[in-house]
Amino acid sequence: MKFEKIKDVIKKEEGQKAKIRGWIYRKRSSGKIIFIVIRDSTGIIQTIVEKEKISNEEFKKAEKALIESSVEIEGTVHEDKRAPGGKEIHVTKFNVVGFAQDFPITEYQSVEFLLDNRHLWIRSRKLTEVMKLKAKMLRIIRRWFDENDFYEVTPSVITTNAAEGGATVFSFDYFGQEAFLSQTAQMYLEALIFSLENVWCLTPSFRAEKSRTRRHLTEYWHLEAEEAWLNNEENMKLQEELISYVCQSIAKECKDELEFLGRDPKDLKIVEPPFKRIKYKDAIKMLNEKGFDIKWGDDFGAPHEKALVEGEEKPIFVTHFPVESKAFYMKISPDGKTVECADMLAPEGYGEIIGGSEREENIDSMIERLKKDGANIKNYEWYFDLRRYGSVPHSGFGLGIERLLCWIAKLEHIRDATPFPRLVRRAYP
Ligand code: NSS
């Protein structure tokens, strides 16, 4: 008999044989009977080990095996309303593959302790469900790009360009030359549209931001797309279609994960194009009316973003930020004061999930803005070449995978959207 997954065993009928392997999730004993809940990647099931039903040696092993020991079990399936999933296994064979020592994680532990033991804590059911949802989400995103004729490309993560500002780059010595861990693949994607036209990529991005918030990682997974012949409005359309597709598909395909995490699929089914668009200047007005002390030129913080989506069920776009507040590569609008950009804010105060823009084609304008940031212009010469050799209007966007997951999975903190979070004060384990 082959090993089966717990999710399939749960579907079996009274009296059928079952053979599973996994880890001890919970255990209690009353002398001659031991109740052992086993988990595998698909779920949990209760097993009952009775002294009279197996060999003495096997029973002793079952007694000795602590939580997180890995085991192989054979038995018969029985209905029991009290058991998780409504079924349990009456054990006929019990084998321990690896005895666990006393597991350090017990019920009530501090956040720091759990982060120190992240390599073990990722076995928890919550993190398991989050990671499953993340994997499915990435699969859905890939499907959308495939169906919409985008090429997936693989840009480099080692770079000499700080596209999102020199203040937040991790720099290192690259054989005697200063190099950075990439903040964005955007500039490389822009180079690739001249042959492939529609491209996307998924890479780690790095931000040396000292922000210790619920929404900042120093390393995150960045989904970016770039399209030739596209303006800012068309770029927003693309984004709302992608996000709606992701929400609809997750609502349909990830019911178990959503239920475990407390997200009602209905919240996601509502997400359909079009999303509301508001201009930065009107957002400032709206915030002032709500009593916030904020003026033209200021950045939005978490409370502002939350106030802007109050009462919204879908994400919204805030567009046309002041030139000074955004990156050098964004196209300056006809008014000369704002840029052709859009930030997508998730509902429920989950904050910005996408930053996108139409790209500037005027080299002098970019140089002027780069100089203000103290950038080394020489490093951008290759990028200016893209404007020199057959430039076309083009736009693109970047989406923080963990930010999107936070909203969809209703997570309180972004650290739980990634297995090994990199935070200002944490790079271990
Ligand atoms: O800085 S962004 O707003 N925009 C860019 O990097 C563009 N160059 C992308 C592009 O047009 N190709 O970052 C994009 C998104 C942002 O909306 C967040 O969702 C996410 O990247 N992001 C982060 N996620 C987690 N942690 C941190 N620190 C973080 N910073 C940005």
Side-chain angles (χ1 to χ4, degrees), residues 186 232 235 329-330 340-342 355-359 394-397:
Q186 180 192 321
N232 192 43
N235 192 27
Y329 54 72
M330 294 190 182
E340 294 296 302
C341 73
S357 66
E358 187 169 340
R359 315 311 190 183
H394 62 286
S395 300
F397 63 89

Side-chain angles (χ1 to χ4, degrees), residues 159-171 178-187 206-210 220 222 299 324-330 366 369-376 380:
T159 180
T160 47
N161 298 108
E164 297 301 328
T168 63
V169 281
F170 286 107
S171 60
E178 187 186 38
F180 310 124
L181 292 176
S182 162
Q183 299 166 304
T184 169
Q186 180 192 321
M187 293 169 72
F206 301 86
R207 304 282 166 111
E209 283 168 299
K210 286 255 164 80
Y220 69 97
H222 203 171
D299 255 345
E324 305 74 44
S325 69
K326 289 287 184 187
F328 75 97
Y329 54 72
M330 294 190 182
M366 289 195 277
R369 284 183 271 170
L370 275 169
K371 277 188 177 154
K372 275 192 196 144
D373 198 34
N376 184 353
Y380 294 81

Side-chain angles (χ1 to χ4, degrees), residues 381-396:
E381 272 308 319
W382 72 264
Y383 183 68
F384 302 146
D385 273 351
L386 307 179
R387 302 334 189 231
R388 293 182 183 122
Y389 301 102
S391 184
V392 292
H394 62 286
S395 300

